[in-house]
Amino acid sequence: MFRSTRSFRTWAAGCIIITVSLLLLTHIILLRRSSTSRTSSWQTWLRRPRAWTHSRDPHHSPISIKNSEKFLTFLPHSGLHNQRIALINAGILAGALNRTLLMPELNLGTATFWRPSHQLSERLAHCPGSPNEPDSHCYDYRDYVPVPVDQVFDLTPLHELGVRTMQRHDMNDDYFLRYWGIDETNEDKMMYTLKDDVRYSYQIHDEMSVPNATLEQFQSRIDLQYLATRQEPFLMFGSLFGSRRLALTRTDLINIREYLRQKIGIKHPIVLDKANDIIDQLGGANNYLSVHLRQGDGRFKKEAKKTIGQIRGALERYANKYEQQEENNNNNEEQALIVKELRSLTDRTKRLKACVYVQEKYRHPNLRLVYMATDTQNPHEKFVDLYDKFVCLFTLNDFPDVVQSIHDTLVDVDPYLRDGNLLLPLVDGEVAAKADHFIPTPKSTFSGYIRQRNTYFHEMT
């Protein structure tokens, strides 16, 4: 009897040991699988270790590259907000490929043209700071003002996603030789270059199963899975500009793109400070309607009349909707009288104060407080009809003290600025982004930026 009991206990103990061993083995296998499988949740990026940003010393000797360290970089062009689109695209790729994003400086000056990679690289290396006559091939670099990315945009959202960043401080031909020891003898092993010979050369796809029908205006496709197989320390892209440059179908990457579009905003302290000054004079954030009317250059200049018509129509529709939301709206005659009185106030400062005051009481569509961001130098002369229709319409020019303080920004305050004029469009955008409703200029990337920031502003309030 005792033997059988002892045997049973031995057998039971053995079963328990075997069961526990099997459970541990299964757990280890599942952990290994999960570590190598692709996640479909973008929030996992937020759980990655916080990334670092590093600024290379321009006079530093070449450094060795760790075996595990790989980089991704690109060539910048166009205006500031087009550069921001390229930066976001590059950040998504760097994160997906686990590469450090080597960021070219931003140009705060006049927008430059897109060119094929070899030409763009040559212009970036030689044109900034050179004599730029009207017939010079460097003419569009006549007002090129390179600034480190983190002096303008807040890179915290990228770092929170685990994307590592490093600032590139010059675009000279010998940059990779001086900093990284890359020359003709080892370039093929050290760098993989994606040539950008036409304006919309390549579109990058996150899934190989997606058909080429999504290419639209792009000439060819590059698959993210293919880029992941490249073992060269550097991936060198030409242009990465374009809202459709990345053909994304993965939910995690789509959400990351939207996250970065909304959260990567201006961080320059002078811009934020002066924008807040104007917002306070407008009665505070959410107390006004904003509009962006671009017409100073390119096709926007050609389509100026059409754009003004579209903006005016949108303003009228929104203003009428604003009026209908008011339950007690039986004092139209009184409100019409207020409109007339406001028109008689030629002092813009006094009119602004009066307009802010009447927002709390009256809902007449023509009394709606409107802030208009625009690149037009003399908006009062250019938009007479708009000013006549909307008596509480104001632009940056209506805040001369703020504008003058920005003009007076000195080099010792911001060593990257030649003058404060470069900050004026950024202030314009920040004020417009804090409105209760925003009306954009169609197809403008600056409008796109303001809309994204306005959406984020409302999500946070």
Side-chain angles (χ1 to χ4, degrees):
M1 178 178 178
F2 291 105
R3 285 184 180 178
S4 62
T5 301
R6 188 179 300 115
S7 299
F8 173 78
R9 289 177 178 174
T10 303
W11 175 82
C15 289
I16 291 171
I17 293 171
I18 293 171
T19 301
V20 172
S21 300
L22 288 173
L23 288 173
L24 286 173
L25 181 60
T26 302
H27 182 64
I28 292 170
I29 293 172
L30 288 174
L31 282 177
R32 288 181 176 177
R33 286 182 177 178
S34 64
S35 67
T36 57
S37 64
R38 188 196 75 202
T39 180
S40 61
S41 174
W42 74 281
Q43 282 87 351
T44 57
W45 280 45
L46 292 174
R47 294 196 295 270
R48 293 165 68 175
R50 287 184 62 84
W52 45 265
T53 182
H54 179 61
S55 181
R56 289 280 295 121
D57 181 354
H59 305 291
H60 201 283
S61 58
I63 62 174
S64 59
I65 302 173
K66 299 178 182 178
N67 292 333
S68 60
E69 186 75 10
K70 291 184 173 61
F71 300 84
L72 182 152
T73 191
F74 62 98
L75 300 176
H77 63 87
S78 300
L80 178 64
H81 296 285
N82 289 6
Q83 295 173 68
R84 175 178 173 270
I85 291 172
L87 173 69
I88 290 173
N89 287 341
I92 294 169
L93 292 174
L97 297 170
N98 194 25
R99 286 177 175 264
T100 297
L101 175 56
L102 182 59
M103 305 177 296
E105 291 178 308
L106 296 169
N107 170 31
L108 270 187
T110 304
T112 59
F113 301 133
W114 171 90
R115 289 183 174 87
S117 295
H118 65 284
Q119 293 182 17
L120 184 56
S121 179
E122 187 273 334
R123 298 293 197 281
L124 288 166
H126 300 288
C127 288
S130 64
N132 298 314
E133 301 300 328
D135 58 348
S136 167
H137 72 289
C138 289
Y139 185 64
D140 55 319
Y141 286 81
R142 63 193 179 279
D143 188 29
Y144 193 85
V145 184
V147 178
V149 177
D150 65 358
Q151 294 294 312
V152 179
F153 291 122
D154 182 7
L155 297 176
T156 302
L158 272 176
H159 298 157
E160 287 178 344
L161 294 174
V163 179
R164 304 178 301 276
T165 62
M166 178 180 288
Q167 183 62 61
R168 177 176 177 176
H169 281 288
D170 74 70
M171 303 298 290
N172 292 332
D173 293 331
D174 61 349
Y175 167 82
F176 285 100
L177 173 61
R178 286 184 289 115
Y179 288 162
W180 307 100
I182 300 176
D183 56 23
E184 294 180 355
T185 64
N186 62 1
E187 183 175 354
D188 290 342
K189 294 181 179 179
M190 297 293 290
M191 182 179 296
Y192 181 66
T193 302
L194 295 102
K195 295 183 179 180
D196 184 34
D197 294 330
V198 295
R199 188 170 182 82
Y200 294 101
S201 53
Y202 46 74
Q203 185 182 54
I204 301 165
H205 290 239
D206 64 349
E207 290 287 0
M208 297 181 69
S209 60
V210 175
N212 286 342
T214 60
L215 285 173
E216 297 180 350
Q217 73 266 46
F218 291 93
Q219 302 294 311
S220 62
R221 66 179 285 167
I222 301 172
D223 291 303
L224 192 62
Q225 290 89 334
Y226 170 72
L227 295 176
T229 67
R230 303 302 310 192
Q231 296 303 307
E232 295 87 349
F234 288 90
L235 279 183
M236 166 63 83
F237 288 90
S239 173
L240 279 178
F241 164 68
S243 298
R244 296 186 179 90
R245 177 71 67 173
L246 305 186
L248 303 180
T249 58
R250 284 170 45 181
T251 302
D252 59 330
L253 296 183
I254 291 172
N255 288 334
I256 287 166
R257 179 167 61 187
E258 188 61 26
Y259 172 82
L260 294 176
R261 284 175 174 177
Q262 290 189 16
K263 293 204 67 175
I264 292 184
I266 300 296
K267 66 171 284 188
H268 198 289
I270 295 175
V271 171
L272 299 180
D273 181 57
K274 301 307 177 184
N276 285 333
D277 286 348
I278 294 175
I279 291 169
D280 288 343
Q281 294 184 53
L282 290 168
N286 263 333
N287 193 52
Y288 54 94
L289 165 71
S290 70
V291 59
H292 174 228
L293 206 168
R294 178 179 176 182
Q295 62 155 20
D297 62 346
R299 60 184 176 82
F300 296 101
K301 190 172 184 177
K302 295 179 181 178
E303 299 178 1
K305 290 184 178 180
K306 180 181 178 182
T307 302
I308 292 173
Q310 291 174 324
I311 295 294
R312 176 169 182 151
L315 279 170
E316 291 174 346
R317 287 191 299 274
Y318 184 80
N320 289 329
K321 179 181 177 182
Y322 182 73
E323 179 186 30
Q324 293 167 7
Q325 292 173 350
E326 182 66 25
E327 294 180 0
N328 300 316
N329 193 36
N330 299 319
N331 52 352
N332 287 334
E333 292 184 3
E334 180 185 356
Q335 294 186 40
L337 181 61
I338 296 294
V339 171
K340 185 176 180 180
E341 290 178 355
L342 286 172
R343 283 201 180 103
S344 68
L345 292 175
T346 56
D347 186 306
R348 299 295 294 175
T349 301
K350 291 181 179 179
R351 185 186 290 196
L352 173 61
K353 291 180 179 179
C355 285
V356 171
Y357 173 76
V358 301
Q359 297 305 299
E360 298 180 1
K361 185 176 180 181
Y362 299 102
R363 294 291 180 175
H364 191 287
N366 292 358
L367 286 174
R368 188 70 174 97
L369 183 59
V370 181
Y371 181 83
M372 181 169 67
T374 181
D375 56 356
T376 304
Q377 293 184 355
N378 300 301
H380 288 278
E381 297 177 9
K382 192 74 174 180
F383 309 127
V384 175
D385 290 343
L386 282 178
Y387 279 100
D388 185 61
K389 174 73 174 178
F390 299 95
V391 294
C392 290
L393 173 65
F394 297 90
T395 65
L396 191 59
N397 288 10
D398 294 311
F399 302 88
D401 293 343
V402 176
V403 171
Q404 187 59 51
S405 67
I406 297 172
H407 282 309
D408 294 340
T409 299
L410 302 176
V411 174
D412 58 354
V413 176
D414 188 330
Y416 299 102
L417 291 179
R418 296 175 186 169
D419 61 69
N421 286 333
L422 297 173
L423 300 180
L424 293 176
L426 306 186
V427 173
D428 236 2
E430 290 308 297
V431 176
K434 299 297 175 59
D436 64 351
H437 182 75
F438 171 66
I439 299 172
T441 290
K443 299 181 181 180
S444 164
T445 55
F446 188 22
S447 277
Y449 167 76
I450 298 173
R451 183 175 60 250
Q452 291 161 6
R453 295 296 291 169
N454 182 250
T455 300
Y456 177 68
F457 166 68
H458 285 292
E459 286 181 354
M460 294 296 102
T461 56

